Amino acid sequence: MDKKITIAIDGFSSSGKSRMAKKLAKAIGYAYIDTGAMYRAVTLYCLNNNLIDGEVVNVPELEKQLPSIHISFGVNADTGASETYLNGECVELEIREMRVSGKVSYVAAIPAVRRALVAQQQRMGAEKGIVMDGRDIGTVVFPDAEMKVYVDASAETRARRRFDELRAKGNTEVTYEEVLRNVQERDHIDQTRAESPLRKADDALVLDNSHMSLAEQDEWLLAAFRRIIAR
Ligand code: DC
């Protein structure tokens, strides 16, 4: 099958879209790009450089420094997993920490940040053959993507998944209620921000995975891909 397409997967935080997108990319031999990781990396940069105070980001200073923030992806030689790099340093673990999750929505709402990252995402996907996941991939980054999926699941389901994930990584301090609050807060900010809010593209397929097993989700996605590629 030679025809390469662009696959855009959008949805709420912790909807399981990244896992599913990664799995699909591997199954069909496409590159996978986690755009949430890019917003997280810029947020980590802000935290490390004292550019965030509470909910307030020092936007003029961040704009000045944006050209010197370089985000890239590499493959871990041992695990084969994709990892995020910030100015040459692997930050894959740090960008998943709660201190980053708690601030990333403020950084992702800044127009200059979105402009820079969207341009980079469009360059990375120019050759097609990619699965990209995020919030605005089907609406802003690749509005002409041949396959668009909008993943939905209740906030409680998503908070439970995120909580279990953090526990599995050894985080015993965070409570389920804190995670749920963070998920709800981010949902609200992501849906109501002025710049590229999370919304379903008109031509996106909807996948509500609240009551689906991982295998069922993977099967659903692969079947959708096969249908589209056969057109
Ligand atoms: O998918 P995630 O939870 O890792 O995303 C982190 C944050 O980045 C989330 O609050 C929304 C934002 N984001 C965005 O605004 N646009 C994207 N394309 C991807 C993520």
Side-chain angles (χ1 to χ4, degrees):
M1 222 176 278
D2 291 322
K3 187 170 123 191
K4 295 250 183 204
I5 64 166
T6 301
I7 303 175
I9 303 189
D10 290 306
F12 288 109
S13 61
S14 304
S15 60
K17 61 185 180 338
S18 298
R19 187 205 61 82
M20 220 186 314
K22 231 178 269 175
K23 191 95 190 265
L24 175 69
K26 198 163 179 206
I28 64 176
Y30 277 27
Y32 163 70
I33 296 160
D34 173 0
T35 64
M38 299 170 75
Y39 290 94
R40 287 172 178 272
V42 176
T43 305
L44 180 64
Y45 178 92
C46 291
L47 287 167
N48 289 347
N49 291 276
N50 298 318
L51 298 178
I52 304 184
D53 186 8
E55 298 180 6
V56 182
V57 182
N58 184 343
V59 177
E61 193 48 41
L62 175 58
E63 282 194 28
K64 236 186 276 167
Q65 298 187 25
L66 260 182
S68 54
I69 304 178
H70 299 290
I71 298 162
S72 56
F73 293 98
V75 176
N76 183 302
D78 295 328
T79 63
S82 165
E83 291 178 332
T84 313
Y85 283 75
L86 170 62
N87 290 338
E89 189 196 338
C90 180
V91 292
E92 187 56 35
L93 291 179
E94 267 178 286
I95 60 168
R96 311 288 165 192
E97 288 172 4
M98 283 296 278
R99 69 189 181 107
V100 174
S101 300
K103 304 286 181 189
V104 62
S105 286
Y106 307 119
V107 174
I110 299 168
V113 171
R114 300 206 71 85
R115 268 197 305 278
L117 294 189
V118 166
Q120 187 181 348
Q121 289 152 14
Q122 288 171 335
R123 281 195 302 275
M124 293 192 292
E127 307 292 324
K128 295 191 183 248
I130 51 144
V131 181
M132 192 174 276
D133 86 45
R135 302 292 188 289
D136 59 343
I137 312 305
T139 52
V140 176
V141 183
F142 292 115
D144 297 328
E146 292 86 347
M147 175 168 165
K148 297 181 187 177
V149 178
Y150 185 81
V151 186
D152 213 347
S154 70
E156 288 74 17
T157 303
R158 289 180 286 120
R160 173 58 58 189
R161 287 179 189 153
R162 183 91 191 97
F163 176 72
D164 291 344
E165 217 173 84
L166 287 166
R167 276 286 140 94
K169 279 185 193 158
N171 184 330
T172 52
E173 272 149 38
V174 73
T175 65
Y176 167 75
E177 285 68 31
E178 276 171 331
V179 176
L180 178 62
R181 243 192 334 270
N182 176 255
V183 164
Q184 288 169 330
E185 234 168 65
R186 281 205 285 158
D187 283 1
H188 179 73
I189 300 175
D190 292 346
Q191 285 179 296
T192 56
R193 68 177 178 224
E195 188 85 6
S196 312
L198 169 65
R199 85 180 165 76
K200 184 185 100 55
D202 294 336
D203 51 351
L205 305 166
V206 178
L207 172 63
D208 184 333
N209 65 10
S210 304
H211 305 290
M212 280 170 97
S213 70
L214 299 183
E216 282 167 344
Q217 297 172 44
D218 294 338
E219 231 166 83
W220 184 97
L221 204 57
L222 198 56
F225 169 74
R226 292 214 174 103
R227 256 196 331 271
I228 289 168
I229 205 93
R231 271 183 202 158

